[in-house]
Amino acid sequence: MTYHPKSEFIAIMMERGFLADCTDYQGLDDAFSRGVVPAYIGYDATAKSLHVGHLMNIMMLRWLQKCGHKPITLMGGGTTKVGDPSFRSDERPLLDDAAIQSNIDGLEKVFAKYLSYGDAENDAMMLNNAEWLDGLNYLSFLRDIGRHFSINRMLSFESVKSRLDREQSLSFLEFNYMILQAYDFLELNRRYGCLLQMGGSDQWGNIVNGIDLTRRVLDHEIYGLTTPLLTTSDGRKMGKSQGGAIWLNDEMLSSYEFWQFWRNTTDADTGKFLKIFTELPVDECDRLGALEGSEINAAKIILANEVTTLLHGADAAAAAEATAREVFEKGGVGDDLPTLTLSAADLGDGMSIVQVIVKAGLADSGKAAKRLISENGAKLNDEPLTNAGLMIDAAALATPIKLSAGKKRHALVQLG
């Protein structure tokens, strides 16, 4: 892309690798140069926490505010009742109002770490689309909004087309999702002057729908901007690990495990991740990312510390680094390791080491735990674990034991 932006926000987004596409670079750049731009990203409340896969867009909202503009975090209290079918092979399970609100409460904790909310011109706003979706009159909505949507065009969107091409069912409920999301943009523009929707590249079709609808109904010029689908250098989707999703809420994933995820970044991804997930100057990110051999490990520690500090605070980052050093460099236990506490009742006459490994989160299944042991990837108190039939009883946990899966994943098991 050869476009040379004049606004600070677009320049930062391009330089740091945040941009995949934009509906009108020139028009959006002009809007950013004229004054404060309210911009939103929507988040459906399908879980109690966001995960690392959401962090790129959260950082984009943070940069937006740092550049003097107004971030809007839109909670999908209404749209979660329908479920986004984009690129899914099946329908999402439907949640009741209490579960949705509980999930929203969890999501709000994360945003408070990255954004400043309040009443000033560029303070962030937390909104919920249930505000305008819950009270919709169905017939009025069909007449006033539904008439602007072409079924032919909706069927051509890749997120829908891929589902139909695989001959997988797409319910009428889900098909309405893209209309509701488009309506969100219309209402945000009408109520709050929102000029921009941002999101992942998989949301392009939904974003364009909202822009078209707002032009038709209000005759207002608004914009869409997407981030690239972020994958690791080995082709995996960002945010997944052997142990599952890398959650952002500390009650679902400890700050140590979060820190360790970033410390385990591959050499090839370090520079890119420094640009996207930290606020270090781009030149410094390039310098650190270009280090080779053992020196790149220092860059990964900086990455882990910077990202963990933003989410969990500097003390948590320092504690995680100290624990990692204790575990890896000195062969110790460390105070901050993930801990599994088992009661005497849990153990009964004994629990197999395979079950313990699974419960400690070091393997997804008993089969995976057995394979870990058979391939010499498991350790008990830093010694090779070779007996998959080993039983752990209360006496064995008179002092806590340390389990390891490979060189980088560890857990403590103790009697509680």
Side-chain angles (χ1 to χ4, degrees):
M1 188 190 309
T2 57
Y3 181 74
H4 298 290
K6 55 190 176 183
S7 67
E8 182 186 17
F9 178 69
I10 296 291
I12 289 172
M13 292 297 96
M14 294 177 78
E15 186 178 34
R16 300 187 80 98
F18 280 87
L19 295 193
D21 214 340
C22 179
T23 54
D24 179 0
Y25 276 107
Q26 185 68 59
L28 180 58
D29 197 24
D30 289 344
F32 276 120
S33 300
R34 284 194 299 269
V36 175
V37 171
Y40 92 99
I41 298 178
Y43 297 89
D44 279 343
T46 53
K48 288 186 179 296
S49 173
L50 299 173
H51 55 71
V52 162
H54 296 104
L55 196 50
M56 185 179 194
N57 284 341
I58 295 174
M59 288 300 294
M60 188 157 60
L61 288 170
R62 182 175 170 88
W63 279 113
L64 182 90
Q65 188 166 43
K66 286 170 73 76
C67 292
H69 301 286
K70 191 174 190 68
I72 298 172
T73 45
L74 180 67
M75 300 293 98
T79 43
T80 304
K81 296 171 185 175
V82 175
D84 185 359
S86 296
F87 299 99
R88 286 182 61 87
S89 58
D90 55 6
E91 189 169 342
R92 290 184 186 274
L94 297 180
L95 303 176
D96 62 23
D97 288 351
I100 290 172
Q101 186 56 54
S102 176
N103 288 347
I104 288 175
D105 293 342
L107 304 192
E108 288 178 349
K109 294 178 186 176
V110 171
F111 291 112
K113 307 282 184 67
Y114 292 91
L115 301 172
S116 173
Y117 289 87
D119 299 323
E121 190 176 25
N122 84 311
D123 277 345
M125 297 178 71
M126 176 78 68
L127 300 174
N128 187 332
N129 61 17
E131 179 185 332
W132 50 83
L133 294 181
D134 277 2
L136 283 178
N137 178 292
Y138 187 58
L139 290 178
S140 297
F141 184 73
L142 284 179
R143 185 189 62 221
D144 298 338
I145 302 300
R147 65 189 178 90
H148 294 293
F149 287 84
S150 160
I151 293 291
N152 309 58
R153 185 158 179 267
M154 292 164 76
L155 289 172
S156 73
F157 287 131
E158 189 58 36
S159 57
V160 173
K161 192 168 175 289
S162 60
R163 181 95 156 256
L164 298 179
D165 286 347
R166 294 191 299 267
E167 297 185 359
Q168 291 165 329
S169 174
L170 180 71
S171 72
F172 179 69
L173 175 70
E174 293 175 287
F175 200 63
N176 275 271
Y177 184 91
M178 61 183 76
I179 299 178
L180 295 177
Q181 185 171 325
Y183 186 66
D184 281 346
F185 203 174
L186 167 68
E187 284 297 323
L188 286 168
N189 179 256
R190 175 157 44 201
R191 295 171 184 232
Y192 303 102
C194 183
L195 294 180
L196 172 65
Q197 182 183 356
M198 305 186 292
S201 56
D202 60 336
Q203 293 298 314
W204 180 256
N206 289 334
I207 291 172
V208 169
N209 269 339
I211 292 170
D212 288 347
L213 178 64
T214 304
R215 283 174 179 161
R216 290 170 185 266
V217 176
L218 301 179
D219 195 26
H220 289 177
E221 192 69 26
I222 57 176
Y223 308 94
L225 184 154
T226 58
T227 54
L229 175 65
L230 197 59
T231 56
T232 56
S233 57
D234 57 5
R236 287 182 295 115
K237 189 175 180 181
M238 182 66 184
K240 300 291 184 182
S241 76
Q242 289 176 310
I246 304 301
W247 300 106
L248 302 184
N249 285 32
D250 54 12
E251 62 264 29
M252 294 181 69
L253 187 81
S254 72
S255 54
Y256 172 79
E257 290 172 287
F258 183 77
W259 187 95
Q260 195 62 49
F261 170 79
W262 296 100
R263 171 60 182 83
N264 292 342
T265 297
T266 60
D267 294 1
D269 290 324
T270 302
K272 176 173 72 173
F273 287 179
L274 281 162
K275 288 180 188 176
I276 292 171
F277 299 110
T278 82
E279 295 172 339
L280 293 176
V282 170
D283 290 348
E284 178 68 358
C285 296
D286 287 334
R287 183 189 73 78
L288 290 169
L291 295 174
E292 296 180 350
S294 61
E295 289 186 337
I296 192 72
N297 290 330
K300 294 177 187 178
I301 289 172
I302 291 171
L303 170 66
N305 283 339
E306 291 287 327
V307 181
T308 304
T309 295
L310 281 173
L311 179 61
H312 295 296
D315 290 347
E321 183 182 355
T323 293
R325 186 171 289 114
E326 176 74 15
V327 171
F328 299 124
E329 296 178 13
K330 300 176 185 176
V333 169
D335 295 330
D336 203 27
L337 276 184
T339 301
L340 169 66
T341 301
L342 298 172
S343 68
D346 292 330
L347 292 164
D349 295 329
M351 181 182 291
S352 75
I353 193 66
V354 167
Q355 284 181 282
V356 176
I357 289 172
V358 173
K359 284 181 175 293
L362 297 177
D364 293 334
S365 64
K367 185 177 180 181
K370 289 176 182 176
R371 186 168 62 248
L372 183 71
I373 294 169
S374 69
E375 294 175 353
N376 301 315
K379 287 187 177 181
L380 174 61
N381 291 331
D382 296 320
E383 296 295 329
L385 174 60
T386 56
N387 179 12
L390 178 68
M391 299 298 288
I392 300 295
D393 57 17
L397 295 181
T399 57
I401 63 173
K402 175 184 170 186
L403 286 175
S404 304
K407 295 180 179 179
K408 297 178 178 179
R409 299 173 62 229
H410 310 269
L412 286 182
V413 184
Q414 64 184 16
L415 190 62

